[in-house]
Amino acid sequence: MTELASQSKELITLVRSTTINHARSVDDLLERPQKVVAEHVDFFYGEHQALHDVSLSIPANCVTALIGPSGCGKSTFLRCINRMNDMIEGARLEGEILLDEIDIYRARTDVVELRKRVGMVFQKSNPFPKSIYDNVAYGPKVAGVRKRSELDEIVEKCLRRAALWEEVSGRLNESALQLSGGQQQRLCIARALATDPDVLLMDEPASALDPKSTARIEDLIFELKDSYTIVIVTHNMQQAARVSDQTAFFYEGRLVEIGATTDMFTKPRQRKTEDYITGRFG
Amino acid sequence: MSLASRGRPYAKAASAAFAYVCALCAFASVAILVVLLWQMCRFAWGWLDWQFLTSFDSLLSPQKAGVKAALVGSLYLISLTALFSVPVGVGAAVYLEEYAQRSRWRGFVQTNIANLAGVPSIVYGILGLGLFVRGMKLGAGVLAGALTLSLVVLPIVILASQEALRAVPASIRQASFALGATKWQTIWHQLLPAAMPGIMTGVILAISRALGEAAPLVAIGAAGFVMFLPAGVNDRFTALPLQIYNWTENADEQYQFHVAAAGIIVLLAMLICLNAAAVYLRYRFGRRIRW
């Protein structure tokens, strides 16, 4: 028992030292406009209920980390925000998810329009089997941008934002599949930025990457949060502590606790949260 | 502890014997093909020349007989067959894979397409005779022939295209949808280009099949002896397999062996060209896709 207590203390110290630099304060989180608000969200895969009465709000220009053990519903919740779950037959959502105070599940919502405003980066990098240029230009192209000069501009801007421009500027016409894993994931981020979204959803974006590439992605997330609202699902506690301002802990389809990351990792209110953060299960 | 195999003294020998048997099977199939080809080349030697390729058939002299009408007829036929079967086949595959909901109706259609691929081509020939030649009054022309052959190869095109679409990773679909692409844009810009090598392979296989079919053409009443080139789609025509069959039926042994063999070489050459085209197209499209 004492051993566990000291272990958790150690982690808390570590978390403090890594988060203290850039995290937004609790007050700051509350003052900001709420970009995404979920109200009493229940989600079903056919008969199986994957989310139970989830209510939370995601402040603008912050990084919100969703943590919890496998199968806890954090990825499901993430995919509710851009309605990617619509692609699954038998999927059904009850409750409301508001984006800028508009319910994205109301009948009039144009899912295509929604997904342009809510970009997504997947767990496994999934560049299209096309050139680097075409990958980034795809979003604007399907949105109707035709002028080459305009596309060139978008491609360069997004690759720069994703910290990839220096590495690929000379070979934009080469296949995206020739890039390394970390580069591919940054390309996917650039591609998601190209539709000029407000919100960026990241589903364990660094879980398949080596530590160095992971660090680059994390730096990138930190830089991007000034311009975007970021929601990131992660299995990695240290990562959540390092990059996020707000953390939400999911367990068995329910939101157990949500709060400023510094608070969550230093003085969690729920026993379950503390157990998970300190690695007692999960 | 020794690594020598104990208690199974024959295991090594059995393994070697099995390898030899398998090699023999592989060798036998190739050997039969080589013998056949050798025989054909021997028979056709001296008969397959420029005159043979550029002359019409002749009933009077085997030396004057040529393959011109059949060659042009076959080219005409497979071009039209591709024109009909590719858009319909790929369209059907896109519908079944991307649009159709998982329902009993879809299962029914799917099972039927798989079964249709196994229906003997003569059955399609009879259908073509009833539907196109008599029902739509097209006559036994190139159009009726191509439509009938389209029926024969359509299941092949559909199944190959479905297979190719299914092989496109789900992550590509998701990435496209997540960027705000519509279903139509995702299919047109991502799925079809990614599936193209597989689709092309299926199409070329289907065309090769159409090129070699004689039975449905016999059934719709296509001619075996034609002294003109088809000018329009309803003109009567003959095709290579039909022409070859016709020659082998001739009482004159020179037709039976030498003229027919020359025709067979022409048919085989066309098939090889098609397959080479398939390999080339797969390479081209494959490189553009750059997996």
Side-chain angles (χ1 to χ4, degrees), chain A residues 79 82 84 87 89 111-113 115-116 118-120 122 124-131 134-135 138-139 141-143 146 173-178 191-192 195, chain B residues 99-103 106 168-191 193-194 285-291:
Chain A
R79 287 157 174 269
N82 67 345
M84 281 301 275
M87 288 166 68
E89 277 180 53
V111 180
V112 166
E113 215 42 56
R115 289 180 187 150
K116 281 175 199 152
V118 183
M120 185 161 196
F122 295 83
K124 204 174 152 284
S125 61
N126 53 354
F128 298 128
K130 295 172 184 286
S131 70
D134 287 338
N135 262 276
Y138 183 67
K141 266 186 188 164
V142 296
R146 285 279 168 274
N173 288 319
E174 280 177 31
S175 170
L177 299 166
Q178 286 168 4
R191 184 176 68 181
T195 58
Chain B
Y99 287 101
Q101 301 285 319
R102 226 163 271 287
S103 65
R106 195 195 116 150
V168 180
S171 63
I172 299 294
R173 280 184 187 76
Q174 292 193 350
S176 179
F177 284 125
L179 286 166
T182 60
K183 192 152 201 170
W184 149 252
Q185 287 168 328
T186 300
I187 291 169
W188 187 251
H189 294 296
Q190 300 295 348
L191 303 185
F285 280 105
R287 210 180 36 169
R288 191 173 333 147
I289 291 173
R290 296 185 272 203
W291 277 115

Side-chain angles (χ1 to χ4, degrees), chain B residues 63 78 92 112 114 180 189 248 262 286:
Chain B
Q63 276 77 15
I78 58 170
N112 271 292
H189 294 296
T248 60

Side-chain angles (χ1 to χ4, degrees), chain A residues 14-281:
Chain A
L14 169 85
V15 165
R16 249 187 212 140
S17 65
T18 54
T19 53
I20 210 82
N21 317 323
H22 59 261
R24 304 201 193 276
S25 74
V26 187
D27 298 337
D28 191 24
L29 284 181
L30 291 172
E31 276 168 24
R32 283 176 178 277
Q34 304 298 308
K35 190 75 189 174
V36 178
V37 178
E39 280 173 1
H40 305 295
V41 170
D42 293 309
F43 186 84
F44 304 84
Y45 291 114
E47 293 297 299
H48 172 69
Q49 185 166 4
L51 291 176
H52 299 264
D53 194 28
V54 173
S55 296
L56 59 82
S57 35
I58 293 165
N61 299 105
C62 288
V63 178
T64 298
L66 310 181
I67 61 170
S70 298
C72 67
K74 56 193 190 302
S75 283
T76 299
F77 180 75
L78 190 78
R79 287 157 174 269
C80 287
I81 303 175
N82 67 345
R83 291 187 57 170
M84 281 301 275
N85 288 326
D86 288 15
M87 288 166 68
I88 301 163
E89 277 180 53
R92 184 162 57 86
L93 181 136
E94 284 168 14
E96 284 184 339
I97 294 181
L98 311 174
L99 174 66
D100 288 330
E101 294 170 2
I102 293 169
D103 182 11
I104 62 171
Y105 279 87
R106 64 179 181 169
R108 278 191 294 147
T109 303
D110 180 356
V111 180
V112 166
E113 215 42 56
L114 169 73
R115 289 180 187 150
K116 281 175 199 152
R117 289 188 49 198
V118 183
M120 185 161 196
V121 177
F122 295 83
Q123 178 174 3
K124 204 174 152 284
S125 61
N126 53 354
F128 298 128
K130 295 172 184 286
S131 70
I132 294 167
Y133 184 96
D134 287 338
N135 262 276
V136 183
Y138 183 67
K141 266 186 188 164
V142 296
V145 178
R146 285 279 168 274
K147 258 172 71 185
R148 182 77 189 193
S149 59
E150 205 174 325
L151 286 171
D152 287 350
E153 210 173 287
I154 294 172
V155 169
E156 179 172 348
K157 189 183 81 188
C158 294
L159 285 171
R160 279 190 193 283
R161 282 214 166 149
L164 193 60
W165 178 254
E166 308 295 329
E167 290 155 67
V168 301
S169 59
R171 47 189 181 125
L172 292 178
N173 288 319
E174 280 177 31
S175 170
L177 299 166
Q178 286 168 4
L179 298 173
S180 73
Q183 288 174 324
Q184 286 192 12
Q185 195 58 300
R186 275 180 283 145
L187 178 67
C188 290
I189 294 173
R191 184 176 68 181
L193 298 180
T195 58
D196 200 19
D198 310 337
V199 181
L200 205 53
L201 308 177
M202 298 180 146
D203 191 355
E204 298 187 49
S207 67
L209 300 181
D210 61 84
K212 206 173 155 208
S213 304
T214 302
R216 296 211 61 169
I217 299 278
E218 288 179 8
D219 289 346
L220 185 56
I221 291 171
F222 182 59
E223 280 164 33
L224 289 173
K225 77 172 177 183
D226 286 329
S227 320
Y228 306 92
T229 303
I230 296 173
V231 187
I232 177 172
V233 164
T234 178
H235 262 120
N236 181 332
M237 286 310 109
Q238 275 88 345
Q239 184 170 65
R242 279 193 301 264
V243 302
S244 71
D245 303 304
Q246 178 182 247
T247 300
F249 172 57
F250 283 75
Y251 186 68
E252 289 182 347
R254 289 168 212 277
L255 177 67
V256 176
E257 188 171 348
I258 182 165
T261 300
T262 41
D263 291 349
M264 283 279 279
F265 282 85
T266 51
K267 37 181 196 280
R269 292 187 301 271
Q270 302 287 332
R271 182 62 195 268
K272 209 83 235 161
T273 316
E274 187 176 349
D275 287 352
Y276 182 70
I277 290 174
T278 53
R280 222 171 291 178
F281 76 94

Side-chain angles (χ1 to χ4, degrees), chain B residues 271-283:
Chain B
L271 282 169
I272 289 170
C273 287
L274 274 175
N275 279 297
V279 171
Y280 174 71
L281 282 171
R282 277 178 80 170
Y283 167 75

